């Protein structure tokens, strides 16, 4: 049934995920939802030096929020920070250099961050789509290390800080591509069979949806959400999916349009009136499975994923006091 899922997803994408889909959906947006002052609130955005992450950070900065940019590349991150400060006039922009594919890096960063800062909203935006099977220095498949394990560790490590915060939220940027994947816990690092980077990425994004649902059940004081930004014109899309970009470039959303729902989930009062753990597109909760797609997984597989990620994460956790 994979041909069915892929076909339905692509047709749905042409209708809803492009710039035209955003323009249609945005007619029903309430501008007041995001016209808010968030001065005094602290936001952490991963992958914030370009694309949707930078667009989100910039909009939060415009609204007075304290923004922590978590980026891998120091030079590009410093340029992004300067741009955000210059365009918004907000001086409360802080830069942290962390490689989200390196679990030891994340643990070390989070332990330091917990001791030095407050946090109201975590935005898990960093991600990658590596089209050939590539291992990190820790022997982890790069897509899994970044998209799934990195998101898991960053969130888990910062939960104690979020549990103490007022109106705490976690927003994870996923993808509609996850609709073509059923959770597969038997091969988390994609070592069996031929390697398809696009499908590995989609599997990671399905895993992020499951993580969000599981966290929402376990942490009632925090509002969790996961979202699809649509098909946006970002540096990541241009570099990871050049054929797709060439075919769709005239129909892709802007970075700001892709970031709109991230911002809405992070700052609006309306978002937290909806249940925790939902999947969003264009400010609306949407199903996490296509009709007749057979992508549902048994609860025990979803619980097992959490257990496996916890075991992975603990291997890289420092024994030094945090």
């Amino acid at each position: 049934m994979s041909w069915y899922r892929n076909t339905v997803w692509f047709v749905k994408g042409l209708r809803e995920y492009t710039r035209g889909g955003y323009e249609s959906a945005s007619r029903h947006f309430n501008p007041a939802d995001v016209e808010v002052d968030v001065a005094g609130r602290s936001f952490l955005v991963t992958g914030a030096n370009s694309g949707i992450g930078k667009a989100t950070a910039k909009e939060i900065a415009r609204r007075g929020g304290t923004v922590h940019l978590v980026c891998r590349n120091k030079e590009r991150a410093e340029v992004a920070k300067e741009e955000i400060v210059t365009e918004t006039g907000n001086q409360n922009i802080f830069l942290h250099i962390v490689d989200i594919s390196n679990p030891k890096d994340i643990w070390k960063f989070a332990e330091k961050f917990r001791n030095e800062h407050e946090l109201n909203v975590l935005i898990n935006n960093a991600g990658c789509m590596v089209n050939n099977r590539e291992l990190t220095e820790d022997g982890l498949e790069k897509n899994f290390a970044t998209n799934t394990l990195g998101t898991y560790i960053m969130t888990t490590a910062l939960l104690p800080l979020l549990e103490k915060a007022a109106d705490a939220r976690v927003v994870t940027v996923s993808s509609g591509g996850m609709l073509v994947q059923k959770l597969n816990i038997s091969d988390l690092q994609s070592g069996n069979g031929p390697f398809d980077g696009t499908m590995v990425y989609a599997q990671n994004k399905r895993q992020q949806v499951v993580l969000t649902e599981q966290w929402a059940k376990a942490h009632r004081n925090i509002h969790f959400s996961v979202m699809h930004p649509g098909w946006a014109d970002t540096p990541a899309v241009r570099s990871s999916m050049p054929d797709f970009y060439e075919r769709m470039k005239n129909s892709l959303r802007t970075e700001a349009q892709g970031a709109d729902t991230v911002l809405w989930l992070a700052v609006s009062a309306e978002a937290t009136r909806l249940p925790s753990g939902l999947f969003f597109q264009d400010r609306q909760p949407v199903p996490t499975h296509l009709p007749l797609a057979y992508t549902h997984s048994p609860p025990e597989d979803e619980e097992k994923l959490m257990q496996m990620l916890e075991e992975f994460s603990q291997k890289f956790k420092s024994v030094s006091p945090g």
Side-chain angles (χ1 to χ4, degrees), residues 46 98-107 110 122 124 126-128 136-158 172 183 188-189 200-201 203-209 211 215 304-317:
T46 67
V98 185
D99 184 348
I100 301 296
S101 74
N102 185 325
K104 290 192 284 287
D105 243 25
I106 303 171
W107 276 120
L122 167 62
N124 290 309
C128 70
T136 69
E137 63 182 37
D138 296 304
L140 299 168
E141 191 277 316
K142 187 74 173 284
N143 294 291
F144 166 76
T146 306
N147 302 326
T148 301
L149 186 60
T151 297
Y152 178 85
I153 295 177
M154 182 65 78
T155 305
T156 300
L158 294 176
T172 299
L183 178 66
L188 289 182
Q189 300 204 64
V200 171
Y201 177 83
Q203 173 65 210
N204 296 161
K205 294 301 174 177
R206 168 62 70 187
Q207 291 160 0
Q208 289 179 342
V209 170
L211 289 180
W215 281 325
K304 180 68 173 174
L305 173 67
M306 303 301 284
Q307 180 187 331
M308 294 170 77
L309 292 176
E310 180 62 18
E311 290 170 0
F312 264 114
S313 72
Q314 289 300 321
K315 292 177 186 175
F316 301 100
K317 187 175 184 181

Side-chain angles (χ1 to χ4, degrees), residues 40-321:
R41 285 177 64 76
S42 176
F43 300 77
L44 188 155
V45 185
T46 67
N49 67 287
S50 67
I52 288 167
K54 185 172 80 172
T56 301
K58 193 178 290 183
E59 291 305 318
I60 292 169
R62 286 191 210 284
R63 290 157 176 78
T66 296
V67 186
H68 295 273
L69 312 175
V70 174
C71 308
R72 180 173 55 87
N73 184 292
K74 189 172 188 292
E75 290 180 9
R76 290 203 295 266
E78 286 174 343
V79 171
K81 177 187 172 182
E82 185 177 345
E83 179 184 322
I84 292 168
V85 170
T86 301
E87 289 192 22
T88 68
N90 187 338
Q91 298 294 321
N92 293 318
I93 312 299
F94 301 93
L95 184 57
H96 310 271
I97 305 304
V98 185
D99 184 348
I100 301 296
S101 74
N102 185 325
K104 290 192 284 287
D105 243 25
I106 303 171
W107 276 120
K108 185 178 177 182
F109 158 74
E111 288 173 5
K112 187 171 187 290
F113 189 90
R114 286 202 311 261
N115 290 328
E116 297 177 356
H117 302 283
E118 296 180 348
L119 183 64
N120 297 96
V121 182
L122 167 62
I123 299 171
N124 290 309
N125 166 74
C128 70
M129 185 193 295
V130 179
N131 289 311
N132 297 301
R133 193 170 190 275
E134 180 182 321
L135 300 183
T136 69
E137 63 182 37
D138 296 304
L140 299 168
E141 191 277 316
K142 187 74 173 284
N143 294 291
F144 166 76
T146 306
N147 302 326
T148 301
L149 186 60
T151 297
Y152 178 85
I153 295 177
M154 182 65 78
T155 305
T156 300
L158 294 176
L159 281 174
L161 206 51
L162 290 161
E163 290 279 11
K164 296 186 292 187
D167 187 17
R169 310 183 190 193
V170 175
V171 182
T172 299
V173 179
S174 181
S175 166
M178 68 92 194
L179 291 166
V180 306
Q181 285 284 309
K182 178 180 179 177
L183 178 66
N184 175 14
I185 58 171
S186 68
D187 188 21
L188 289 182
Q189 300 204 64
S190 310
N192 301 332
F195 187 90
D196 182 333
T198 304
M199 288 300 103
V200 171
Y201 177 83
Q203 173 65 210
N204 296 161
K205 294 301 174 177
R206 168 62 70 187
Q207 291 160 0
Q208 289 179 342
V209 170
V210 173
L211 289 180
T212 300
E213 293 169 346
Q214 294 295 310
W215 281 325
K217 292 176 189 175
H219 303 278
R220 303 287 184 173
N221 295 332
I222 302 170
H223 189 271
F224 291 86
S225 57
V226 60
M227 58 79 67
H228 174 39
W231 293 342
D233 185 353
T234 66
V237 168
R238 292 185 183 207
S239 63
S240 300
M241 305 174 69
D243 294 342
F244 173 82
Y245 172 75
E246 283 302 319
R247 190 162 72 248
M248 300 297 299
K249 61 184 178 183
N250 294 325
S251 302
L252 296 177
R253 298 179 177 202
T254 65
E255 292 173 346
Q257 290 171 342
D260 176 81
T261 296
V262 189
L263 178 71
W264 183 83
L265 289 166
V267 306
S268 78
E270 288 303 310
T272 54
R273 292 194 175 100
L274 293 161
S276 181
L278 298 180
F279 180 64
F280 288 83
Q281 176 189 315
D282 291 331
R283 303 192 189 183
Q284 291 292 323
V286 293
T288 56
H289 301 277
L290 293 168
L292 306 177
Y294 303 103
T295 50
H296 294 268
S297 51
E300 53 266 32
D301 280 8
E302 298 178 354
E303 292 163 10
K304 180 68 173 174
L305 173 67
M306 303 301 284
Q307 180 187 331
M308 294 170 77
L309 292 176
E310 180 62 18
E311 290 170 0
F312 264 114
S313 72
Q314 289 300 321
K315 292 177 186 175
F316 301 100
K317 187 175 184 181
S318 168
V319 294
S320 63

Side-chain angles (χ1 to χ4, degrees), residues 11-27:
V11 170
K12 179 181 173 70
L14 288 174
R15 188 175 67 247
E16 298 178 19
Y17 300 165
T18 56
R19 189 186 311 137
Y22 174 84
E23 290 167 352
S24 176
S26 66
R27 295 189 195 112

